[in-house]
């Protein structure tokens, strides 16, 4: 088969790190080529180079045998390279169609022809089976549809080589299956796909070949047929990874968090929680399973004091904390690992050390009156960086330039270190590599084993089943059932997630 | 009563006109993501250049063109600082204001030996629109006015067309909301921002000209005193949209007109006229202090963009 992309000895040196170190990658026509590597291994950097957003420090790129110099995205687009970025590149205030045609818009008499744009979007969306609403504003559509918009953006430009940087991280299991169908469709049309994911299951299911990158270097390129998840994980992390979480025996204590008939509205002022009652006890992990958009985010927000409850009561250790301010909630010893780490977890333009005291900077440990005790803040960060293995181990690094996994480690370090009564973990492993997932899971279970209450919200059913002691299924703002984890299986949870009441 | 209202309306349009130009300039600049505090300075330089040119050539229209070009030139400076060198946009804007003021005052003394130009005999003349100007009361207010007034409304319409009906407008708005996303679509963020900042300077310059050779017929130290900031506030009240900005400018224009003719129409019996002079500035402080409208601001407004390398 013909080689469409050939990257030779690509290196990329950032001020503090060597993100790519003499990387060789070749992609064949019509294949799905997976890139696998830990958080911060340099996958996105390599792809940003291919798409012309970054310039390599050294190395050469060949497209269909021709040496090319991709100085900006326009060059990449002209070469038939399209990219769906890890963090969506959509403009929330514009419509779906506007986002798709942006940069190469259809015109009529020199004016923007939105009618034609909408028609064209409808046409390609039908051809590839990517359902979108061209007239909807992007800020009002689901994450799954945003993903489809991103893919349509590339297809609209006649992409032959499509880069998908962690497209599944934010999708529901159903949406992932749909994405795979789409990828197969594109494949049969002869398009090549570079697919980045941390989920070995997905790689085994869809990739033809896999290139494994560790700390900026290529470790190996293998065919899917000749490898196994275990081997891949070991190659990627450089050691054996355990997929099983070891937990102590389940012996729940007193009730820590209690929700009674809690109701709340979503950001569009529609009822999102319609009377949630549940409790989380000491020494247990309560998992909330459900299809995205059934009230999970609102549930977490309400408990964390970030959204008003319109009815009902929330109690922490029998103390009413309904609609308490976030600072009060924090003071009441609730920790929160938010689902959107950029929006709520971190101040991206602050350093690691500043991010680590976001909730506690005013306390005596870190401040004398109104003066920050920088030395103490620095030591605190140094200790946590060491303990949680944050890379690079430099407390002055800006949160923005950390890889996703390391950003998450900073948040988890901050939240767990406060030794909370209740730990809320929302999508705690979204976008993390297997090594980092193992790490996060261990930390959550550790909290449980220490007798803390953990409320886990995740779209990843495997994660829910692996970690939880009890599983509550949420559907359209109601808890449709709570089951013991050992009694649950995927089929039954799937059934309940579709709205069928559990037993 | 009717004649009074008509006079009020005519004056409102007159005073709103310079604000409309500058506020539309603000819309261009800020929708592309560059805060433009320098509108005031760009109006000053525009008013000055227009006055000098109208005096020198005897042609007010050349004055308008000079005002536009000088405003655009000053804006170029702002663009270099704010876009290329990623300076703090507010600081750069403030510097622009000082520069414009200092330069025009200096030149005023150099050229005319004092703090004001001679009277401009060749200021813009009113245009009566045939037929329409004959409508009782309304005709005189709306259709027997300065050409800059008509031009202001036409510019608002043009701004709306550019912003929402052209590819340039779509790109402009995307750059102001999420420049990185625009960049990944092959849009040249720097080019768009430069263009928009320069357009904003040109419009503010015309706004300045509309004062010095439109409303009054001279340029003095106090010809432009805060109109640029008021225009900025109007843009915020107008939620960064052309029609919204125009509406807010009309409101400020009305306050101005009330102040100017309050005495004649006996309004002073009910309220101190100083109140009307104060009102626009008061609202401007409220708007610029960030008490209102922040939710509608373009997401990347004021944030320098740096391309990855
Ligand atoms: N613009 C930048 N400036 C400085 N360092 C950067 C920049 N972008 C990335 N890095 C660093 O380069 C390394 C590789 O990052 P990259 O985003 O390519 O990792 P990744 O493999 O995509 O990780 P993840 O799976 O978490 O997305 C990381 O150490 C990161 O901190
Ligand atoms: Mg990445």
């Amino acid at each position: 088969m013909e080689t469409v992309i050939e990257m030779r000895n690509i290196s990329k040196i950032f001020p503090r790190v060597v993100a790519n170190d003499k990387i060789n990658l070749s992609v064949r026509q019509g294949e799905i080529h997976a890139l696998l590597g830990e958080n911060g291994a340099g996958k996105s950097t390599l792809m940003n180079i291919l798409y012309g957003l970054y310039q390599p420090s050294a190395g050469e790129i060949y497209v269909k045998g021709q040496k090319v110099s991709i100085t900006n995205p326009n060059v990449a687009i002209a070469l038939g390279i399209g990219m769906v970025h890890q963090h969506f590149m959509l403009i929330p205030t514009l419509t779906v169609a506007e986002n798709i045609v942006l940069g190469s818009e259809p015109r009529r008499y020199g004016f923007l022809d939105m009618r034609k744009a909408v028609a064209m979007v409808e046409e390609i969306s039908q051809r590839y089976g990517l359902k979108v609403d061209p007239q909807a504003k992007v800020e009002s559509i689901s994450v799954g549809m945003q993903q489809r918009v991103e893919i349509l953006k590339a297809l609209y430009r006649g992409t032959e080589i499509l880069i998908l940087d962690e497209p599944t991280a934010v999708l529901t299991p159903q949406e992932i299956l749909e994405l795979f169908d789409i990828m197969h469709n594109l494949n049969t049309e002869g398009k090549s796909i570079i697919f980045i994911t941390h989920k070995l299951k997905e790689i085994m299911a869809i990739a033809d070949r896999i290139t494994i990158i560790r700390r900026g270097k290529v470790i190996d390129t293998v065919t899917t047929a000749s490898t196994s998840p275990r081997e891949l994980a070991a190659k990627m992390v450089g050691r054996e990874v355990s997929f099983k979480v070891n937990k102590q025996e389940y012996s729940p204590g007193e009730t820590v968090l209690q929700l009674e008939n809690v109701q709340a509205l979503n950001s569009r002022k529609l009822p999102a929680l319609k009377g949630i009652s549940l409790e989380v006890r000491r020494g247990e992990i309560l998992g909330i399973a459900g299809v995205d958009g059934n009230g999970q985010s609102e549930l977490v927000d309400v408990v964390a004091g970030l959204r008003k409850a319109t009815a009902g009561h929330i109690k922490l250790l029998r103390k009413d904390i309904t609609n308490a301010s976030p600072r009060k909630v924090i003071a009441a010893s609730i920790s929160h690992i938010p689902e959107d780490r950029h929006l709520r977890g971190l101040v991206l333009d602050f350093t690691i050390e500043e991010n680590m005291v976001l909730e506690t900077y005013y306390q005596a440990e870190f401040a004398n009156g109104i003066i920050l005790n920088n030395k103490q803040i620095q030591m605190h960060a140094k200790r946590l960086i060491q303990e949680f293995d944050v890379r690079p181990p430099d407390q002055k690094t800006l949160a923005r330039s950390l890889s996703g996994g390391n950003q998450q480690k900073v948040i988890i370090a901050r939240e767990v270190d406060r030794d909370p009564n209740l730990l809320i973990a929302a999508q705690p492993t979204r976008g993390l590599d297997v090594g980092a997932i193992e790490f996060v899971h261990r930390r959550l279970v550790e909290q449980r084993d220490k007798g803390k209450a953990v409320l886990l919200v995740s779209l990843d059913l495997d994660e829910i089943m692996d970690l939880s002691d009890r599983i509550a299924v949420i559907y359209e703002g109601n808890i449709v059932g709570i089951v013991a984890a050992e009694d649950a299986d995927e089929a039954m949870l799937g059934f309940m997630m579709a709205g069928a009441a559990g037993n | 009563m009717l004649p009074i209202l008509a006079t009020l309306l005519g004056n409102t349009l007159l005073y709103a006109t310079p604000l409309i130009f500058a506020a539309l300039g603000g819309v261009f600049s800020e929708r592309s993501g560059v805060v433009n505090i320098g509108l005031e300075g760009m109006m000053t330089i525009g008013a000055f250049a227009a006055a000098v040119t109208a005096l020198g050539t005897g042609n007010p229209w050349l004055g308008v063109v000079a005002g536009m070009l000088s405003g655009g030139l000053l804006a170029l400076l702002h663009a270099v600082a704010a876009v290329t060198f990623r300076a703090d946009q507010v600081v750069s804007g403030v510097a622009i204001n000082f520069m414009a003021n200092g330069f025009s005052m200096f030149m005023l003394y150099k050229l005319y030996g004092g703090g004001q130009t001679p009277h401009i005999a060749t200021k813009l003349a009113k245009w009566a629109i045939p037929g329409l100007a004959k409508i009782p009361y309304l005709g005189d207010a709306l259709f027997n006015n300065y050409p800059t007034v008509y031009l202001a409304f036409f510019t608002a319409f043009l701004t709306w067309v550019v912003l929402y009906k052209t590819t340039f407008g779509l790109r402009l708005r995307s750059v102001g909301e999420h420049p990185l996303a625009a960049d990944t679509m092959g849009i040249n963020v720097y080019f768009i921002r430069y263009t928009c900042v320069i357009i904003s300077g040109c419009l503010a310059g015309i706004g300045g000209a509309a004062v010095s050779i439109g409303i009054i017929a001279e340029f003095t130290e106090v010809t432009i005193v805060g109109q640029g900031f008021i225009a900025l506030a109007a843009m915020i009240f107008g939620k960064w949209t052309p029609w919204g900005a125009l509406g807010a400018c009309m409101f400020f224009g009305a306050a101005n007109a009330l102040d100017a003719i309050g005495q004649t129409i006996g309004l002073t019996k009910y309220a101190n006229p100083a109140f009307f002079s104060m009102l626009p500035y008061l609202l401007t402080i409220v708007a610029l202090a960030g008490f209102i409208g922040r939710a509608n601001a373009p997401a990347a407004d004021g944030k320098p963009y740096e391309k990855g390398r």
Side-chain angles (χ1 to χ4, degrees):
Chain A
M1 250 187 294
E2 193 196 353
T3 299
V4 283
I5 297 278
E6 171 111 38
M7 300 181 84
R8 278 192 212 155
N9 288 318
I10 298 284
S11 293
K12 177 69 187 177
I13 297 157
F14 286 121
R16 281 168 199 272
V17 273
V18 180
N20 290 164
D21 188 358
K22 301 209 186 75
I23 288 200
N24 287 297
L25 174 73
S26 76
V27 179
R28 294 176 192 153
Q29 154 98 54
E31 79 167 334
I32 296 181
H33 194 117
L35 277 189
L36 182 63
E38 285 181 285
N39 294 120
K43 305 174 299 289
S44 296
T45 303
L46 186 69
M47 291 301 105
N48 281 329
I49 289 173
L50 185 56
Y51 191 63
L53 279 173
Y54 291 159
Q55 298 309 307
S57 315
E60 290 155 5
I61 302 173
Y62 296 81
V63 175
K64 296 189 177 137
Q66 294 287 319
K67 186 170 170 200
V68 293
S69 142
I70 306 178
T71 48
N72 66 60
N74 273 328
V75 178
I77 292 167
L79 288 168
I81 300 170
M83 178 160 176
V84 175
H85 294 265
Q86 183 167 3
H87 301 288
F88 289 166
M89 294 293 174
L90 296 172
I91 292 135
T93 52
L94 300 185
T95 66
V96 166
E98 284 171 334
N99 266 284
I100 291 173
V101 300
L102 181 64
S104 44
E105 308 85 350
R107 295 172 203 226
R108 192 154 173 261
Y109 307 121
F111 290 98
L112 179 62
D113 189 353
M114 272 326 289
R115 199 173 300 163
K116 175 129 180 257
V118 168
M120 286 164 87
V121 167
E122 268 163 0
E123 197 257 324
I124 38 173
S125 108
Q126 241 150 47
R127 184 156 109 229
Y128 295 101
L130 290 147
K131 243 186 260 133
V132 294
D133 173 3
Q135 316 263 23
K137 281 236 171 88
V138 162
E139 61 196 352
S140 71
I141 64 177
S142 72
V143 178
M145 193 183 283
Q146 291 183 14
Q147 176 78 262
R148 295 195 286 276
V149 174
E150 283 283 15
I151 297 174
L152 283 169
K153 262 163 68 175
L155 294 176
Y156 171 80
R157 285 164 176 74
T159 287
E160 288 302 314
I161 302 127
L162 181 62
I163 304 164
L164 297 173
D165 193 352
E166 291 192 38
T168 58
V170 290
L171 299 186
T172 63
Q174 181 56 37
E175 285 168 335
I176 291 173
L177 291 181
E178 285 168 19
L179 176 69
F180 283 1
D181 279 344
I182 293 162
M183 287 167 69
H184 274 303
N185 280 347
L186 296 174
N187 233 216
T188 45
E189 295 224 352
K191 299 192 194 299
S192 319
I193 297 173
I194 302 177
F195 176 51
I196 300 179
T197 179
H198 289 295
K199 297 184 186 147
L200 300 170
K201 226 161 94 178
E202 295 173 2
I203 288 192
M204 298 308 289
I206 197 158
D208 298 308
R209 293 194 303 156
I210 305 147
T211 293
I212 302 119
I213 300 175
R214 192 196 317 151
R215 304 210 181 167
K217 289 198 175 74
V218 170
I219 300 298
D220 203 356
T221 298
V222 297
T223 58
T224 310
S226 69
T227 189
S228 68
R230 197 159 286 278
E231 186 195 12
L232 288 175
K235 280 199 160 134
M236 160 181 158
V237 184
R239 63 177 164 84
E240 284 294 317
V241 179
S242 127
F243 289 99
K244 187 93 197 98
V245 203
N246 293 315
K247 291 197 284 190
Q248 285 174 20
E249 198 171 323
Y250 178 47
S251 63
E254 64 175 323
T255 299
V256 176
L257 177 74
Q258 187 170 16
L259 269 62
E260 285 166 7
N261 191 31
V262 170
Q263 301 183 18
L265 305 177
N266 64 16
S267 0
R268 278 188 267 167
K269 304 273 176 261
L270 301 170
L273 301 180
K274 301 170 183 165
I276 300 266
S277 299
L278 53 79
E279 48 187 55
V280 192
R281 303 165 68 181
R282 280 198 190 285
E284 81 165 353
I285 297 180
L286 177 75
I288 306 279
V291 176
D292 195 17
N294 274 286
Q296 293 96 320
S297 312
E298 289 81 2
L299 176 62
V300 169
D301 284 0
V302 161
V303 177
L306 297 166
R307 184 178 295 274
K308 255 201 158 42
T310 50
H313 291 281
I314 303 169
K315 288 180 187 155
L316 189 82
L317 294 169
R318 283 182 299 283
K319 232 184 88 202
D320 197 308
I321 55 158
T322 319
N323 294 333
S325 70
R327 184 179 281 203
K328 288 230 174 76
V329 169
I330 292 168
S333 190
I334 294 182
S335 275
H336 174 203
I337 301 167
E339 63 176 352
D340 187 331
R341 45 183 170 260
H342 286 177
L343 208 61
R344 286 189 170 160
L346 296 166
V347 179
L348 289 173
D349 289 316
F350 278 12
T351 58
I352 295 181
E353 62 179 30
E354 287 167 328
N355 271 293
M356 284 192 166
V357 293
L358 279 185
E359 295 157 329
T360 45
Y361 64 92
Y362 61 91
Q363 293 172 0
E365 192 187 351
F366 302 117
N368 307 317
I370 59 165
I371 311 289
L372 288 178
N373 184 342
N374 282 318
K375 213 160 132 207
Q376 201 58 38
I377 291 174
Q378 199 164 18
M379 289 199 351
H380 173 72
K382 274 191 175 151
R383 175 172 66 79
L384 290 182
I385 285 172
Q386 171 116 51
E387 209 171 295
F388 287 78
D389 188 29
V390 178
R391 281 180 245 160
D394 171 2
Q395 72 279 1
K396 297 286 182 200
T397 308
L398 290 185
R400 183 180 296 285
S401 65
L402 292 176
S403 74
N406 283 296
Q407 291 178 339
Q408 190 72 338
K409 281 185 186 169
V410 170
I411 296 170
I412 291 177
R414 177 182 72 211
E415 298 301 326
V416 168
D417 188 61
R418 281 180 31 230
D419 201 21
N421 284 321
L422 171 71
L423 176 63
I424 307 170
Q427 322 290 359
T429 60
R430 184 184 268 185
L432 301 198
D433 66 58
V434 286
I437 290 175
E438 184 192 22
F439 175 89
V440 173
H441 285 177
R442 269 217 316 271
R443 291 291 175 164
L444 293 181
V445 169
E446 190 180 282
Q447 290 296 306
R448 163 198 181 268
D449 289 348
K450 269 166 66 182
K452 312 286 181 187
V454 179
L455 178 66
L456 169 70
V457 176
S458 176
L459 299 177
D460 183 344
L461 214 47
D462 293 334
E463 177 166 85
I464 292 274
M465 291 198 295
D466 283 351
L467 295 181
S468 310
D469 298 300
R470 292 187 301 136
I471 300 171
V473 179
I474 192 168
Y475 176 74
E476 292 194 343
N478 290 305
I479 299 288
V480 290
I482 300 183
V483 293
E486 67 243 30
D487 301 336
D489 61 49
E490 203 163 327
M492 163 187 169
L493 290 176
F495 199 52
M496 288 166 72
M497 280 159 65
N503 33 11
Chain B
M1 190 66 196
L2 267 179
I4 294 177
L5 281 181
T7 316
L8 201 59
L9 185 59
N11 273 300
T12 297
L13 289 173
L14 187 63
Y15 287 117
T17 292
L19 302 179
I20 293 173
F21 283 114
L24 292 172
V27 169
F28 269 105
S29 174
E30 303 221 348
R31 284 305 281 268
S32 80
V34 182
V35 168
N36 196 350
I37 297 278
L39 286 177
E40 173 86 0
M42 295 168 198
M43 283 185 88
T44 306
I45 207 83
F48 169 74
V52 173
T53 309
L55 278 171
T57 64
N59 184 338
W61 285 107
L62 284 180
V64 172
V65 171
M68 179 179 95
L69 293 179
S70 59
L73 204 65
L74 195 58
L76 175 64
L77 216 59
H78 183 46
V80 171
V83 180
T84 304
F85 292 105
R86 294 185 291 280
D88 186 296
Q89 298 175 3
V90 172
V91 173
S92 161
V94 170
I96 294 273
N97 289 340
F98 278 118
M99 255 172 59
N101 207 43
F103 176 79
S104 49
M105 289 318 130
F106 175 74
M107 289 308 287
L108 209 51
Y109 277 84
K110 265 254 165 264
L111 292 173
Y112 307 105
Q116 65 184 74
T117 62
H119 177 76
I120 304 168
T122 55
K123 79 173 224 173
L124 289 168
K126 285 191 173 182
W127 276 7
I129 296 182
L132 291 176
K134 296 260 154 46
I135 304 173
Y137 303 121
L138 271 186
D140 195 48
L142 295 179
F143 302 111
N144 185 19
N145 220 320
Y146 289 95
T148 40
V149 174
Y150 313 135
L151 189 62
F153 279 78
F154 182 66
T155 308
F157 171 72
L158 218 57
T159 305
W160 174 79
V161 170
V162 169
L163 228 48
Y164 300 105
K165 301 289 163 195
T166 68
T167 57
F168 179 76
L170 183 65
R171 294 172 185 194
L172 179 173
R173 286 182 285 137
S174 72
V175 165
E177 289 289 337
H178 194 337
L180 179 59
D183 195 359
T184 64
M185 297 286 70
I187 291 166
N188 188 335
V189 176
Y190 297 156
F191 170 78
I192 301 262
R193 287 195 168 170
Y194 260 87
T195 311
C196 287
V197 172
I198 290 169
I199 291 176
S200 95
C202 290
L203 290 177
I206 299 178
V211 181
S212 65
I213 57 174
I215 301 179
I216 53 181
E218 58 178 4
F219 179 81
T220 74
E221 288 159 343
V222 294
T223 298
I224 303 296
V225 275
Q227 286 98 321
F229 293 107
I230 294 176
L232 210 56
M235 175 203 73
I236 294 172
F237 280 116
K239 299 183 176 171
W240 283 263
T241 64
W243 294 122
L246 181 124
C249 288
M250 290 293 285
F251 175 78
F252 284 126
N256 224 323
L258 277 175
D259 174 33
I261 62 168
Q263 192 93 43
T264 359
I265 62 175
L267 207 66
T268 37
K269 272 193 294 223
Y270 307 103
N272 192 324
F275 175 76
F276 296 108
S277 355
M278 186 182 71
L279 192 62
Y281 294 96
L282 204 64
L283 288 169
T284 301
I285 291 170
V286 172
L288 296 186
F291 289 126
I292 54 150
R294 280 296 143 208
N296 298 303
D301 199 10
K303 298 196 184 115
Y305 177 67
E306 184 171 11
K307 244 175 122 62
R309 266 155 297 136

